[in-house]
């Protein structure tokens, strides 16, 4: 496939004029090769894509979102910002104010053996810092109209962004596995094992898929609807659990000061990863916002939308986990059924009402999984080629199948998965954040805008045209987002996108910082080993962010100055 045919196929203006024929990005790529006689395998592939295209059109008629990676142009977006802010706030309260966020906080007292004082400090500060990262990344949504991973092309280029997409896929799949396992534990505990663990996992995955396939509009409606009962159930959890708060202890279960320090840092990194990983998909849910939406509004709604519910359920998790250390019935329930068993034990004084509330909490796992499944489909499409031609809804099915199998295989190793794997997800988003921050504040400014002459070459100058035309040839009083110094019209133009050498090199260098600073059961870096006693202390997120942030400005300038096409 030639570069010219790629650009011709996905040019924004052409997409706007051929939307009825280009459902979900399935417009056929035309070239001299494609028009020649096809071999049998290619004919088979074309037949597959043809049937997928037909099915996409039928789903579209039923209200299923069939748009793929394509940029949402300004004239396609809604002007009702109030309704959009309410729906996205409901989304965050539903997805973040649930058992997924709470699950990591349990590990502070129950795995890292830290007392209430240390877990509260490390947990709240750690996840609060992660909220800032996610909120900053979300601002790219209204600016670009692109998914988070698509806008990353302006840093990593056409090829290297595929590596970032792969890492992002691993992250959302990891959290989806956690959600499935926790859901299975809940149903098993409230049914006294009459509903086996695997059955709960299947239920979570199945219901998630039904909503994720529908698309962003259905997703927002469901999430907003679930946010009220889910958060109310956690409020009632505080009330019922308070009956055992006399068992709380401020002291740590370990006495070695070096080990306490190391465990504190590791728990801090874990809580940071709970919220920071939203940065990989946050802007996906703002692509329908008007391009003129102020950055501060998007930042604040995301920051508060993630921080408030995460803190609300996180503190509950710390309190209940701390009680389980000194109250044997709760500790035994956690040992047998995990977090689901512990919550069931906490609700036991309320009998059937408590089980009902636990089922409501169960829905919060579905809320979180919906976002993961929806966004992961776009990450797969970023691989390009025939993968990009397959519609989003199909990849949502594939993603669900993958994490369903992973959850079934690893269902008895929940704490290991959560404590040792998921903190690593926070490493990559730390590097992505610092690169995006430096790109926006250093290079995407008036001082360096002349270095992006190729990006704006279509218009013959840096400034974009003051008006564009939509598919009906009606002029729109819209100006390209020059205040942010991006030309998002080239989001899929191979010849005008950056090479991505600087971001890719910074990413690799940052990974070395993660390697020397991480503290996991399978690897304790030399730096981490020196600050945390026997188990080390995880400071990988700081080192990878620092390493990447130091080298990127120089590499980026050199790339823009000397690595022209």
């Amino acid at each position: 496939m030639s570069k010219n045919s790629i650009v011709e196929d996905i040019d924004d203006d052409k997409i706007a004029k051929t939307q009825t024929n280009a459902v979900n990005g399935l417009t056929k790529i035309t070239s001299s090769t494609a028009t020649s006689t096809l071999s049998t395998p290619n004919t088979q592939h074309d037949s597959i894509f043809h049937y997928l295209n037909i099915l996409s059109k039928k789903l579209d008629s039923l209200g299923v979102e069939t748009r793929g990676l394509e940029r949402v142009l300004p004239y396609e977006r809604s002007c009702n910002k109030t309704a959009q802010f309410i729906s996205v706030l409901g989304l965050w309260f539903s997805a973040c104010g649930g058992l997924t966020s709470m699950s990591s906080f349990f590990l502070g007292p129950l795995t890292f053996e830290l007392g209430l004082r240390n877990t509260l400090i490390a947990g709240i500060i750690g996840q609060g810092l992660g909220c800032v990262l996610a909120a900053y990344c979300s601002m790219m949504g209204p600016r670009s109209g692109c998914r988070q991973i698509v806008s990353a092309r302006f840093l990593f280029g056409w090829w290297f962004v595929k590596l970032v997409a792969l890492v992002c896929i691993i992250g959302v799949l990891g959290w989806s596995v956690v959600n499935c396992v926790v859901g299975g534990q809940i149903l098993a505990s409230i049914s006294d094992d009459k509903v086996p663990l695997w059955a709960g996992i299947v239920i979570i995955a199945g219901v998630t898929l039904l909503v994720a396939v529908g698309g962003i509009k259905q997703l927002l409606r469901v999430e907003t609807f679930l946010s009220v009962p889910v958060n109310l159930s956690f409020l009632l959890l505080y009330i019922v659990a308070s009956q055992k708060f006399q068992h709380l202890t401020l002291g740590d279960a370990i006495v070695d000061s070096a080990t306490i320090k190391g465990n504190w840092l590791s728990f801090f990194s874990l809580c940071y990863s709970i919220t920071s990983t939203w940065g990989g998909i946050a802007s996906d849910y703002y692509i329908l916002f008007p391009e003129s939406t102020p950055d501060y509004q998007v930042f604040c709604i995301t920051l508060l939308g993630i921080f408030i519910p995460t803190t609300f359920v996180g503190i509950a998790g710390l309190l209940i986990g701390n009680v389980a250390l000194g109250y044997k019935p709760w500790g035994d329930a956690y040992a047998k059924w995990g977090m689901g068993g512990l919550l069931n034990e906490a609700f036991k004084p309320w009998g059937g009402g408590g089980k009902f509330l636990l089922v409501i909490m169960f829905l919060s796992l579905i809320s979180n999984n919906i976002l993961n499944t929806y966004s992961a489909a776009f990450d797969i499409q970023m691989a390009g080629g025939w993968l990009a031609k397959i519609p989003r809804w199909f990849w949502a099915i594939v993603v669900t199948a993958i994490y369903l199998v992973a959850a079934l295989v690893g269902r008895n190793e929940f704490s290991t998965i959560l404590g040792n794997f998921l903190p690593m997800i926070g490493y990559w988003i730390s590097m992505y954040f610092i690169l995006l921050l430096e790109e926006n504040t250093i290079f995407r400014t008036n001082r360096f805008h002349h270095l992006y002459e190729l990006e704006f070459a279509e218009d013959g100058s840096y400034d974009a045209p003051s008006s564009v035309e939509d598919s009906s040839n009606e002029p729109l009083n819209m100006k390209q987002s020059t205040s942010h110094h991006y030309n998002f019209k080239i989001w899929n133009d191979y010849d005008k996108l950056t090479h991505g050498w600087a971001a890719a090199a910074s990413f690799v260098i940052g990974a070395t910082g993660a390697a020397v600073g991480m503290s996991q059961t399978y690897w304790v870096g030399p730096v981490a080993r020196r600050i945390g006693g026997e188990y080390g202390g995880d400071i990988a997120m700081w080192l990878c962010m620092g390493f990447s942030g130091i080298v990127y400005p120089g590499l980026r300038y050199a790339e823009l100055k000397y690595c022209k096409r």
Side-chain angles (χ1 to χ4, degrees):
M1 180 170 59
S2 66
K3 297 177 183 177
N4 291 335
S5 61
I6 295 175
V7 176
E8 179 183 355
D9 183 53
I10 43 64
D11 181 83
D12 277 353
D13 293 332
K14 193 168 184 178
I15 288 174
K17 295 176 182 178
T18 60
Q19 291 178 52
T20 58
N21 298 322
V23 177
N24 207 25
L26 296 177
T27 304
K28 294 183 179 179
I29 298 174
T30 58
S31 65
S32 57
T33 303
T35 56
S36 62
T37 302
L38 296 172
S39 62
T40 301
N42 288 337
T43 302
Q44 293 174 349
H45 287 163
D46 285 349
S47 177
I48 293 173
F49 295 137
H50 172 70
Y51 287 120
L52 286 174
N53 196 11
I54 293 176
L55 184 54
S56 288
K57 291 179 180 179
K58 291 182 178 179
L59 291 174
D60 182 58
S61 66
L62 297 175
V64 174
E65 179 190 13
T66 55
R67 179 187 292 270
L69 289 173
E70 297 91 348
R71 178 185 179 225
V72 180
L73 300 177
Y75 74 86
E76 297 178 286
R77 308 182 199 178
S78 171
C79 295
N80 190 347
K81 287 199 300 183
T82 301
Q84 288 179 318
F85 276 124
I86 293 174
S87 63
V88 80
L89 190 62
L91 177 147
W92 292 127
F93 268 72
S94 179
C96 302
L99 295 173
T100 306
S101 300
M102 175 187 273
S103 61
S104 296
F105 287 92
F106 275 109
L107 300 185
L110 296 174
T111 298
F112 294 101
E113 299 182 304
L114 298 174
L116 187 59
R117 179 179 56 249
N118 276 326
T119 52
L120 281 172
I121 295 173
I124 294 176
I125 296 177
Q127 66 93 7
L129 179 61
C131 291
V132 174
L133 268 69
Y136 185 82
C137 294
S138 70
M139 296 191 299
M140 295 299 290
R143 293 183 186 182
S144 66
C146 295
R147 315 288 176 176
Q148 191 83 60
I149 198 65
V150 175
S151 63
R153 278 180 173 171
F154 288 85
L155 276 73
F156 290 90
W158 183 272
W159 294 108
F160 293 115
V161 76
K162 302 178 192 299
L163 173 62
V164 179
L166 176 61
V167 178
C168 193
I169 291 172
I170 295 173
V172 295
L173 287 178
W175 280 115
S176 297
V177 170
V178 169
N179 292 336
C180 287
V181 174
V182 172
Q185 290 176 343
I186 288 176
L187 294 185
S189 63
I190 62 178
S191 66
D192 293 325
D193 278 335
K194 293 179 181 178
V195 178
L197 181 58
W198 64 265
I201 292 174
V202 172
I203 292 173
I204 286 270
V207 177
T208 295
L209 180 61
L210 290 176
V211 180
V213 164
I216 189 168
K217 293 182 179 179
Q218 288 75 11
L219 179 153
L220 288 171
R221 293 191 189 103
V222 172
E223 297 282 3
T224 303
F225 174 77
L226 290 178
S227 62
V228 175
V230 165
N231 283 273
L232 180 60
S233 66
F234 278 93
L235 176 62
L236 296 174
L237 175 63
Y238 273 95
I239 297 174
V240 68
S242 64
Q243 301 175 19
K244 304 297 181 184
F245 281 175
Q246 67 268 24
H247 296 280
L248 291 173
T249 175
L250 294 176
D252 304 305
I254 46 182
V255 294
D256 180 63
S257 59
T259 302
I260 293 174
K261 180 181 178 181
N263 286 5
W264 192 97
L265 290 170
S266 296
F267 181 59
F268 180 94
S269 296
L270 176 62
C271 294
Y272 162 81
S273 71
I274 297 171
T275 51
S276 65
T277 47
W278 287 117
I281 63 175
S283 70
D284 292 12
Y285 306 100
Y286 294 91
I287 58 174
L288 299 180
F289 278 59
E291 189 182 33
S292 60
T293 306
D295 284 345
Y296 78 89
Q297 292 183 3
V298 178
F299 180 89
C300 290
I301 200 71
T302 308
L303 178 66
L304 296 176
I306 299 177
F307 179 79
I308 293 175
T310 303
T311 302
F312 184 60
V313 300
I315 293 177
L318 294 177
L319 294 172
I320 295 172
N322 189 278
V323 170
L325 285 176
Y327 184 59
K328 193 173 186 302
W330 285 20
D332 292 342
Y334 181 79
K336 183 176 181 180
W337 286 303
M339 189 178 79
L342 179 52
L343 292 173
N344 184 48
E345 192 68 25
F347 273 123
K348 185 170 287 188
W350 288 0
K355 292 182 182 294
F356 173 77
L357 291 173
L358 200 50
V359 172
I360 298 297
M361 290 183 175
F362 175 87
L363 297 177
S364 70
L365 298 168
I366 297 175
S367 298
N368 192 278
N369 254 22
I370 290 171
L371 271 63
N372 296 333
T373 306
Y374 177 77
S375 292
F378 301 111
D379 295 329
I380 297 177
Q381 287 185 324
M382 285 296 291
W386 63 271
L387 295 176
K389 296 173 67 177
I390 295 177
R392 176 202 62 83
W393 57 264
F394 181 85
W395 286 126
I397 297 174
V398 173
V399 168
T400 303
I402 293 173
Y403 71 67
L404 173 60
V405 172
L408 291 172
V409 172
R411 61 185 182 273
N412 296 319
E413 300 294 334
F414 168 70
S415 61
T416 300
I417 295 173
L418 186 59
N420 299 325
F421 168 71
L422 292 181
M424 295 180 62
I425 303 172
Y427 304 160
W428 88 264
I429 197 63
S430 299
M431 293 185 282
Y432 171 67
F433 162 75
I434 196 65
L435 299 184
L436 180 63
L437 178 65
E438 292 180 339
E439 177 77 9
N440 287 340
T441 58
I442 299 176
F443 295 100
R444 297 284 178 170
T445 60
N446 291 332
R447 183 176 182 181
F448 291 102
H449 70 77
H450 63 282
L451 297 175
Y452 295 88
E453 55 186 18
L454 183 61
E455 183 174 312
F456 294 89
E458 177 184 358
D459 307 313
S461 64
Y462 171 73
D463 291 325
S466 59
S467 66
V468 296
E469 295 183 351
D470 65 6
S471 57
S472 61
N473 295 321
E474 296 179 359
L476 298 171
N477 295 322
M478 182 277 295
K479 191 169 184 178
Q480 187 75 17
S481 186
T482 55
S483 62
H484 300 125
H485 303 90
Y486 283 91
N487 180 9
F488 290 113
K489 290 177 65 178
I490 69 159
W491 68 272
N492 215 15
D493 192 328
Y494 176 89
D495 291 317
K496 293 181 180 179
L497 285 167
T498 181
H499 289 288
W501 295 110
S506 301
F507 207 74
V508 173
I509 293 171
T512 62
V516 300
M518 65 188 298
S519 175
Q520 307 296 333
T521 55
Y522 44 82
W523 174 256
V524 179
V527 176
R529 190 178 298 113
R530 290 178 175 273
I531 61 174
E534 180 181 359
Y535 305 105
D538 197 314
I539 57 170
M541 71 168 190
W542 301 107
L543 294 183
C544 67
M545 188 187 298
F547 283 20
S548 296
I550 290 173
V551 301
Y552 182 70
L555 294 175
R556 183 57 165 161
Y557 180 80
E559 178 185 16
L560 293 172
K561 184 73 173 178
Y562 304 110
C563 298
K564 299 183 182 297
R565 295 186 186 276

